[in-house]
Amino acid sequence: MQRKNFTEVTEFIFLGFSSFGKHQITLFVVFLTIYILTLAGNIIIVTITLMDHHLHTPMYFFLSMLASSETVYTLVIVPRMLSSLIFHHLPISLAGCATQMFFFVTLATNNCFLLTAMGYDRYVAICDPLRYMVIMSKGMCAWLVCGSLGTGLIMAVFHVPAMFNLSFCGTVVEHFFCDIYPVMKLSCVDTTLNEIINYGVSSFVILVPIGLIFISYVLIISSILKIASAEGRKKAFATCASHLTVVIVHYGCASIAYLKPKSESSVEKDLLLSVTYTIITPLLNPVVYSLRNKEVKDALCRAVGKNTS
């Protein structure tokens, strides 16, 4: 009923990086380079995990699922962002914006819980190594992956329709994609309920995984400290270092972006944070897990050797 009181908005325009003026071409080159590296890295991880039987383990199964999710996640956001840096003020329909937000919420949530599943995998590997393959069976791995994606879908179904049931007056989104708060700011009506929903969803998606990962690592560290040899402790810490690096960057940026008070928001800070978790973090996964991982490097060498022989 409320929609009839306002001029119906049918499309949005992204403000994006227009405040950077002549530097937008430089940003385009930088972001395009990072995007190509991200796609290449994640595709290599998925391919090499499928091809090499040495990597057919729970840890690399979760890593390939995370790489697949990150690939689609960046496809949803980055190409349009790159286009807006060249062709300014590109419009996006209301339906297109809702679709982008739906995939963003689904995949961002999925990534958070996949990282949690990887934390649980490391906990079992270090704290209960003798039963590792029994606990982390194919069924358990599939259940954890499906649970992560299912949670993402539930959050999106709960969140996005409530957002686009609002009436909108503004058309200029102060962002480079259809993120939640920038779109919500364009509403003509009271958004208190939507803000409560958003904060509740964000708190659940960020704090629950952080809590579970924290518990996992408390148990992991206590087990590692009981290892007698320094070499054994070092090896155990090394198996967790890559995951912990990605977790700190991922949840650090997400927490600042979605759990900080609205009074501390600014367009420039929000853009910088969004660039970090939509462009930088997806690149971290293949870099951290591949370049620092001997097993992946050995698998790549085997694959290259087969192709050249």
Side-chain angles (χ1 to χ4, degrees):
M1 294 295 290
Q2 285 179 307
R3 282 186 175 275
K4 296 181 181 179
N5 297 330
F6 307 104
T7 303
E8 187 175 358
V9 171
T10 58
E11 63 182 29
F12 294 130
I13 295 171
F14 296 124
L15 189 62
F17 299 92
S18 58
S19 60
F20 288 79
K22 62 183 180 181
H23 299 295
Q24 288 186 77
I25 299 299
T26 304
L27 289 175
F28 174 83
V29 173
V30 172
F31 292 158
L32 178 61
T33 302
I34 294 173
Y35 181 52
I36 292 170
L37 291 173
T38 301
L39 282 182
N42 283 319
I43 290 170
I44 287 170
I45 283 178
V46 174
T47 305
I48 205 71
T49 303
L50 289 172
M51 288 174 54
D52 196 302
H53 71 276
H54 294 91
L55 301 183
H56 291 177
T57 63
M59 183 177 79
Y60 290 106
F61 172 70
F62 289 128
L63 178 57
S64 65
M65 291 297 101
L66 181 62
S68 301
S69 181
E70 292 281 26
T71 300
V72 181
Y73 174 76
T74 53
L75 279 170
V76 169
I77 296 171
V78 181
R80 177 169 280 276
M81 181 203 72
L82 292 172
S83 299
S84 67
L85 285 167
I86 301 297
F87 309 103
H88 307 300
H89 306 304
L90 282 178
I92 184 171
S93 66
L94 218 60
C97 187
T99 301
Q100 187 184 56
M101 187 181 292
F102 183 88
F103 277 103
F104 167 69
V105 173
T106 300
L107 294 169
T109 304
N110 180 50
N111 293 345
C112 285
F113 282 92
L114 278 177
L115 286 170
T116 308
M118 293 170 78
Y120 177 67
D121 172 76
R122 291 300 82 207
Y123 157 73
V124 177
I126 292 172
C127 298
D128 200 356
L130 297 179
R131 296 201 305 141
Y132 176 68
M133 293 310 298
V134 175
I135 296 173
M136 300 305 296
S137 62
K138 289 183 179 180
M140 173 60 80
C141 293
W143 186 87
L144 289 170
V145 168
C146 291
S148 298
L149 182 58
T151 304
L153 287 169
I154 291 169
M155 294 299 104
V157 168
F158 185 62
H159 202 341
V160 178
M163 175 71 68
F164 284 87
N165 196 42
L166 296 169
S167 296
F168 297 102
C169 294
T171 58
V172 179
V173 181
E174 295 181 332
H175 217 309
F176 56 84
F177 73 99
C178 286
D179 203 356
I180 296 154
Y181 273 127
V183 173
M184 194 187 299
K185 285 167 63 177
L186 304 180
S187 175
C188 307
V189 296
D190 181 39
T191 60
T192 303
L193 178 60
N194 297 82
E195 289 173 16
I196 292 170
I197 291 172
N198 180 59
Y199 198 79
V201 168
S202 299
S203 298
F204 174 78
V205 168
I206 295 170
L207 298 181
V208 169
I210 285 178
L212 293 173
I213 291 171
F214 177 77
I215 292 170
S216 296
Y217 273 99
V218 168
L219 296 172
I220 286 170
I221 292 169
S222 66
S223 293
I224 290 175
L225 293 176
K226 293 176 184 176
I227 298 174
S229 69
E231 185 64 28
R233 290 195 297 272
K234 183 179 178 182
K235 186 176 180 181
F237 273 120
T239 63
C240 301
S242 299
H243 177 255
L244 200 55
T245 301
V246 175
V247 163
I248 290 169
V249 175
H250 182 91
Y251 288 110
C253 293
S255 299
I256 295 170
Y258 292 102
L259 299 182
K260 70 178 185 298
K262 287 177 65 178
S263 59
E264 295 181 13
S265 294
S266 71
V267 175
E268 291 78 13
K269 287 181 181 178
D270 290 344
L271 282 176
L272 180 60
L273 284 169
S274 298
V275 165
T276 303
Y277 64 74
T278 58
I279 299 175
I280 307 299
T281 303
L283 177 62
L284 268 182
N285 296 332
V287 169
V288 169
Y289 282 108
S290 300
L291 298 182
R292 297 180 68 252
N293 191 304
K294 186 177 183 299
E295 288 177 307
V296 173
K297 287 189 283 189
D298 289 345
L300 282 170
C301 291
R302 286 191 292 268
V304 171
K306 285 180 182 179
N307 291 333
T308 55
S309 58

